[in-house]
């Protein structure tokens, strides 16, 4: 077994996710279950509108205005983990603003980690969202990237297979 593989077997992992309507939460929990790892849901103090036109105005506005919403309290000790898997919906070809707040608050303990990402979307932009989040984290790119079209609104029989393959890459 290669040294990298041995090291990965001993890694402590966490899935950190934000979910507005439940789709990202569904996938994040499946990943955490398959990897038998910790999971952390981050939530904003201010609730976003989840229906209709104003959902896109409100959420998209936070992306375009580069806002960093205040988060509800959460328990995270980044020193416990070697691998961090982010799970984010795609908003306007970007990751959700809540992760900017989270990353800023945990910048020091997120250094020198292995990073992977899941991006879920309805309208595209998953690659751009991952690239922007990698830049925000100060890394070149994510080691692994799982992309699914909204698994609740657009179920696909291949989704579980894609999740399994993603998790296999993480060890």
């Amino acid at each position: 077994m290669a040294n990298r593989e041995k090291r990965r077997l001993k890694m402590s992992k966490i899935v950190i996710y934000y979910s507005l309507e439940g789709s990202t939460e569904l996938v994040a929990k499946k990943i955490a279950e398959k990897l038998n790892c910790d999971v952390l849901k981050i939530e904003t103090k201010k609730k976003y509108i989840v229906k209709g036109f104003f959902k896109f105005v409100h959420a998209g506005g936070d992306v375009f205005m580069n806002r960093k919403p205040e988060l509800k309290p959460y328990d995270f000790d980044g020193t416990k983990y070697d691998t961090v898997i982010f799970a984010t919906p795609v908003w306007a070809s970007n990751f959700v603003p809540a992760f900017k707040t989270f990353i800023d608050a945990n910048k020091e303990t997120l250094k020198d980690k292995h990073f992977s990402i899941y991006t879920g979307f309805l309208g595209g932009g998953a690659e751009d969202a991952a690239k922007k989040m990698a830049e925000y984290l100060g890394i070149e790119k994510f080691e692994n990237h799982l992309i699914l079209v909204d698994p609740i609104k657009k179920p696909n029989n291949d989704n579980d297979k894609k999740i399994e393959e993603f998790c296999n890459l993480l060890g």
Side-chain angles (χ1 to χ4, degrees), residues 16-33:
I16 304 170
Y17 74 95
Y18 175 90
S19 187
L20 184 62
E21 297 182 72
S23 217
T24 303
E25 181 170 49
L26 173 78
V27 175
K29 287 183 175 181
K30 283 184 178 187
I31 293 169
E33 182 181 319

Side-chain angles (χ1 to χ4, degrees), residues 54-153:
F54 286 103
K55 167 187 165 182
F56 300 102
V57 171
H58 188 210
D62 276 4
V63 170
F64 289 118
M65 299 302 290
N66 201 27
R67 292 189 185 114
K68 297 176 186 175
E70 191 174 351
L71 301 179
K72 290 182 179 180
Y74 57 87
D75 185 23
F76 175 71
D77 177 0
T79 63
K80 292 173 36 179
Y81 305 101
D82 297 297
T83 301
V84 177
I85 302 120
F86 290 109
T88 180
V90 175
W91 292 0
S93 296
N94 213 320
F95 61 99
V96 294
F99 274 118
K100 287 184 178 184
T101 307
F102 179 84
I103 292 166
D104 287 351
N106 296 284
K107 200 74 148 176
E108 286 303 310
T109 61
L110 289 172
K111 285 183 178 176
D112 301 319
K113 305 289 182 203
H114 295 275
F115 294 106
S116 291
I117 190 168
Y118 158 67
T119 51
F121 68 96
L122 275 173
E127 305 272 348
D128 289 338
K131 182 179 178 191
K132 290 172 186 173
M133 191 171 194
E135 288 171 2
Y136 201 81
L137 279 163
I139 61 173
E140 186 177 328
K141 66 178 189 166
F142 286 96
E143 292 180 15
N144 302 290
H145 185 187
L146 171 64
I147 302 170
L148 298 177
V149 177
D150 190 319
I152 289 178
K153 292 182 180 170

